Amino acid sequence: MDGKRILLGVSGSISAYKAALLVRLLVKAGAEVQVIMTESAKTFITPLTLATLSKRPVLSTFINDDTGNWNNHVELGLWADALVIAPATAHTLARCAHGFADDLLSAVYLSARCPVFFAPAMDLDMYQHPSTLTNLRLLESYGNQIIRAEHGELASGLIGEGRLAEPDHIVEILATFFDKDKQPISLAGRNVLITAGPTQEAIDPVRYISNHSTGKMGYAIAKAFASAGANVTLVSGPTALPIPHPSIRRIKVRSAQEMFEATQAEFDKASVVVLSAAVADYTPVHVADQKIKKSEREFSLALTKTIDIAATLGARKKAGQYMMGFALETNDERSNALKKLHAKNLDWIVLNSLRDEGAGFGHDTNKITVIDKNEQTAEFALKTKDEVAQDLLYLVAQKLAE
């Protein structure tokens, strides 16, 4: 970060107070920081605070009220090595996504030739609203980077996703982006097999047994490996997610048996296998041909074990093949993960706990601990699932390079 020129856009959110710490951390890391505030941001934190910390006057209008000089949005866009908008409110996201340029910050955004990072902050229903999600996708499609909102207590008192990413996380993301010494990972020519999502075990033509998996983690992993040049085959249970990278070959399955058959057919060609799907442990013994009608007060369903995909493939693993499994636990996390690691002949087990806020099903974040077959442990902080996928990619790439 030393010597990097950072434009920091601050919009009108209660989390604007975090901009003070963000400026301080950026300056401490050696960056030059120029703050641009929207008018509404000034109601949450004073320009004087940010000017003092950045050692530069804060800009907010096209014409400087004190001097009458023009704050040239084009020059500002050319000056910066990165534009970071944090917090980015739903209003600011919408204006940037749709090309409005009626204030200094949005005009600078449209003029910027540098990488742009948006760090959203808003209440959880606003963050999950289709219009906000559409605007985030639009901004990403323009080549911008989204620093995902984090999970936690919000100003409304609700708990969920919408918190501005912590300032140290934002600085870490920027530092990683600017790290010229970090060599890009290449897995060109490697065949990688990844499973993702839930399975659905049919009870009758309209009902099934399943779980809360959305497939987000597995799809993020598939994207990371494909971006590193690997030939990725993604065996996916039912999800609403699009294919995350154009080079990925996706095989859609529904049941645990179908997932086993698809992974078994692809297994021998893969040098890396990542089993991140949430596969049902049991399936109905009999599937009704017709919809089961409600009749008796109690209803019993006979279940039988599904095939253990990880154990079956682990027993077939050859020299030069590496397997990574996942363990989502609610208690005795480490001991349960170790049992799974050794019983299924895995090279790594990725452990996460439903007791950790922001981890588990449905979130855009995850907090993992990775244990290898020698029981060496690496713990990671709560991160976006895209960042978690990069961490896992790095671990695999290290092993392949040995």
Side-chain angles (χ1 to χ4, degrees):
M1 294 293 293
D2 193 36
K4 296 300 180 185
R5 297 171 174 176
I6 307 298
L7 282 174
L8 176 61
V10 182
S11 59
S13 162
I14 185 64
S15 60
Y17 76 90
K18 291 185 180 180
L21 179 55
L22 179 54
V23 171
R24 190 166 185 268
L25 290 174
L26 288 169
V27 171
K28 187 176 180 180
E32 297 179 50
V33 181
Q34 175 62 65
V35 178
I36 303 173
M37 300 179 74
T38 64
E39 287 299 317
S40 59
K42 296 178 184 178
T43 62
F44 294 98
I45 186 170
T46 67
L48 178 60
T49 299
L50 299 181
T52 301
L53 292 169
S54 66
K55 301 178 177 60
R56 289 172 174 268
V58 169
L59 308 178
S60 61
T61 57
F62 288 103
I63 305 297
N64 189 304
D65 294 333
D66 296 326
T67 65
N69 294 330
W70 177 35
N71 294 321
N72 190 325
H73 59 282
V74 175
E75 288 184 0
L76 287 166
L78 294 173
W79 172 82
D81 293 307
L83 168 60
V84 183
I85 301 180
T89 60
H91 181 69
T92 295
L93 293 174
R95 294 169 70 254
C96 291
H98 296 281
F100 288 90
D102 54 349
D103 74 352
L104 183 61
L105 179 56
S106 56
V108 167
Y109 162 69
L110 290 175
S111 303
R113 295 185 182 179
C114 61
V116 179
F117 297 79
F118 287 90
M122 63 201 75
D123 209 64
L124 81 110
D125 294 312
M126 296 176 70
Y127 190 53
Q128 295 297 332
H129 195 278
S131 60
T132 302
L133 297 176
T134 297
N135 289 332
L136 287 168
R137 283 193 292 269
L138 273 175
L139 290 167
E140 275 191 307
S141 73
Y142 302 155
N144 302 303
Q145 314 270 342
I146 306 299
I147 302 174
R148 301 291 175 185
E150 297 181 357
H151 184 278
E153 186 174 356
L154 305 171
S156 64
L158 298 174
I159 295 176
E161 289 171 330
R163 286 170 62 98
L164 177 67
E166 290 303 318
D168 57 331
H169 294 169
I170 296 174
V171 173
E172 181 183 349
I173 288 168
L174 290 172
T176 300
F177 180 83
F178 285 120
D179 187 357
K180 301 301 183 185
D181 296 326
K182 189 174 182 180
Q183 296 298 316
I185 295 172
S186 175
L187 295 183
R190 296 281 188 176
N191 294 326
V192 177
L193 174 62
I194 298 169
T195 66
T199 64
Q200 295 177 354
E201 310 303 317
I203 297 172
D204 63 21
V206 298
R207 300 182 181 93
Y208 56 80
I209 299 170
S210 191
N211 55 62
H212 297 297
S213 174
T214 61
K216 288 181 179 180
M217 190 69 256
Y219 273 59
I221 295 168
K223 178 182 176 182
F225 277 84
S227 298
N231 304 316
V232 175
T233 298
L234 176 62
V235 179
S236 175
T239 80
L241 299 173
I243 296 176
H245 190 281
S247 72
I248 291 173
R249 180 168 70 99
R250 180 169 64 177
I251 301 173
K252 292 183 177 182
V253 298
R254 186 168 295 277
S255 67
Q257 183 62 29
E258 290 176 357
M259 183 166 283
F260 167 68
E261 292 170 0
T263 52
Q264 180 178 235
E266 300 292 329
F267 180 73
D268 289 337
K269 295 179 285 185
S271 56
V272 178
V273 180
V274 181
L275 301 174
S276 64
V279 184
D281 293 321
Y282 292 89
T283 190
V285 173
H286 301 291
V287 180
D289 294 331
Q290 304 294 328
K291 179 182 175 183
I292 299 171
K293 298 297 184 181
K294 181 169 62 177
S295 55
E296 303 299 325
R297 184 177 184 84
E298 295 183 357
F299 174 73
S300 296
L301 187 65
L303 301 175
T304 186
K305 275 188 177 182
T306 59
I307 190 164
D308 191 323
I309 296 175
T312 304
L313 297 182
R316 286 177 47 191
K317 188 176 67 170
K318 300 172 295 187
Q321 278 188 311
Y322 297 94
M323 288 181 59
M324 176 179 287
F326 277 66
L328 176 61
E329 302 292 342
T330 58
N331 62 285
D332 300 325
E333 287 91 340
R334 183 177 173 84
S335 62
N336 286 330
L338 285 172
K339 289 176 186 176
K340 189 172 184 178
L341 171 70
H342 297 304
K344 300 176 193 294
N345 194 26
L346 301 173
D347 295 282
W348 304 272
I349 191 77
V350 181
L351 168 64
N352 57 350
S353 173
L354 283 179
R355 294 193 290 181
D356 289 330
E357 283 193 9
F361 295 135
H363 298 296
D364 289 327
T365 54
N366 205 355
K367 183 180 180 182
I368 64 167
T369 298
V370 182
I371 309 171
D372 69 17
K373 64 182 181 180
N374 298 317
E375 299 190 13
Q376 297 297 308
T377 302
E379 295 185 6
F380 298 86
L382 184 71
K383 299 183 179 184
T384 68
K385 287 184 173 176
D386 284 334
E387 292 170 318
V388 171
Q390 289 295 324
D391 290 332
L392 297 178
L393 170 65
Y394 181 73
L395 289 174
V396 171
Q398 274 188 313
K399 178 60 69 175
L400 293 174
E402 291 177 358

